[in-house]
Amino acid sequence: MNRTNASWSDPASPVFGALSTAVAGVLPLIDPSKLNNTQRRTVHAASAVLTGVYAAVIVGGRNRRMMPLKVATGLAATGAALRFADAGDTFDAHLEQKLRQAGSRYPRVWMAVGAAALTFAGHLGDRAAGRTQLFEPMAIDQRERLRSPGAAVCSLVEGLLGATDWLGSDALHAQLHAAREVYWDDGFTSVVHFRVPDDLPRAVPHEQVFPVRGQFTGPDGTPLRLFLQISDGKLDYLGVEPANPEDADYFDDLIDEWPEPSEITYVLDDPDGTTAPLPG
């Protein structure tokens, strides 16, 4: 995936937030009453296209499977913007007049500030929603089911636990053999939740991310890493995250299948803020 393209087409990315906020702030500065018919129609067309692009991007977030809906939404928004462009000019003039009556010397500047602020607030909401969904991809209203963890998942967890004799790894090994995987549907997901019996020994500390992580390269070349979350001393979930936190705004769907154990490099955090590979 091309990060530049992903950034402007991702509603949660800073690039899209800056672009959409800037466009929303510039358009109200254009006074339709001072344009001739050709200029006004040109502005209408440009505004309609930008409206369609904005609508297409924010619908469905970064989910590529939503592309047909995105295209349909973009086209519908463009058509609606063109259809009601003249009504929009009338509302624009009415709002400007109201601001002047309220004592504003620069009403269009205030209109621009308001439009930019609303757009940026929407962007912040998209970012918050995107981060919430990152490790909570299953809908809470779906009935959870249990099954034995797959061989690929067990192999990856065993690799993380066996890469070092970290305190608590023996207890986590025992939990893995008795754990059940919680799932909501049969599709692949890059987060695996575990259900562990309460009568098994627990790892200490009770709340931790297991210090060994598994680093590998994603399908688009982005460095990724596996991590194992421990909660209440028990295996909680196996997840995938970007190795570089700065990539968090650009990755999409992470992976479509688990990596082979041979593709994994096991690493530990170094005191200097970097990671060091463990001996094979």
Side-chain angles (χ1 to χ4, degrees):
M1 178 181 60
N2 183 289
R3 291 183 187 173
T4 301
N5 290 340
S7 60
W8 72 259
S9 61
D10 175 4
S13 76
V15 174
F16 178 79
L19 286 174
S20 59
T21 299
V23 171
V26 167
L27 289 177
L29 297 175
I30 302 173
D31 187 350
S33 65
K34 296 182 179 179
L35 304 177
N36 60 38
N37 286 338
T38 300
Q39 292 170 332
R40 190 163 58 254
R41 296 306 175 194
T42 300
V43 171
H44 287 173
S47 299
V49 170
L50 292 171
T51 299
V53 171
Y54 180 83
V57 171
I58 64 174
V59 168
R62 295 175 291 196
N63 192 339
R64 295 176 182 175
R65 300 181 184 90
M66 301 291 286
M67 187 57 67
L69 177 61
K70 285 176 169 289
V71 172
T73 300
L75 292 174
T78 300
L82 285 172
R83 172 66 178 82
F84 296 104
D86 290 333
D89 288 348
T90 301
F91 175 79
D92 181 273
H94 180 71
L95 179 58
E96 180 180 4
Q97 181 182 11
K98 288 293 185 182
L99 289 172
R100 289 190 185 279
Q101 291 173 351
S104 174
R105 296 181 57 189
Y106 305 103
R108 304 208 72 83
V109 172
W110 286 109
M111 291 162 65
V113 171
L118 288 174
T119 303
F120 187 68
H123 168 66
L124 293 179
D126 288 333
R127 284 181 65 83
R131 292 189 182 280
T132 298
Q133 294 168 2
L134 177 56
F135 296 120
E136 297 179 2
M138 281 71 75
I140 60 175
D141 62 343
Q142 291 180 303
R143 182 173 298 177
E144 66 180 31
R145 292 179 285 174
L146 299 176
R147 63 188 175 193
S148 298
V153 170
C154 288
S155 177
L156 293 173
V157 176
E158 289 278 7
L160 293 172
L161 296 176
T164 182
D165 54 355
W166 187 263
L167 177 69
S169 58
D170 289 342
L172 297 173
H173 268 292
Q175 292 177 18
L176 178 63
H177 296 309
R180 302 283 283 171
E181 177 187 342
V182 182
Y183 71 105
W184 283 258
D185 58 49
D186 294 323
F188 178 84
T189 175
S190 57
V191 182
V192 176
H193 295 261
F194 299 104
R195 182 74 53 81
V196 175
D198 290 331
D199 58 351
L200 292 178
R202 304 193 182 192
V204 178
H206 284 180
E207 304 296 330
Q208 60 169 303
V209 175
F210 194 72
V212 177
R213 295 174 174 83
Q215 198 152 296
F216 66 102
T217 302
D220 64 350
T222 300
L224 303 174
R225 62 187 178 189
L226 298 165
F227 70 96
L228 193 60
Q229 177 69 45
I230 312 301
S231 181
D232 197 25
K234 300 187 293 185
L235 293 170
D236 189 3
Y237 62 84
L238 174 71
V240 181
E241 64 183 0
N244 184 351
E246 294 181 358
D247 290 335
D249 291 319
Y250 304 114
F251 66 84
D252 184 11
D253 295 336
L254 290 176
I255 55 176
D256 296 321
E257 61 182 0
W258 293 111
E260 295 292 331
S262 60
E263 301 173 15
I264 303 295
T265 300
Y266 298 104
V267 298
L268 272 175
D269 290 339
D270 261 355
D272 62 0
T274 60
T275 56
L278 292 168

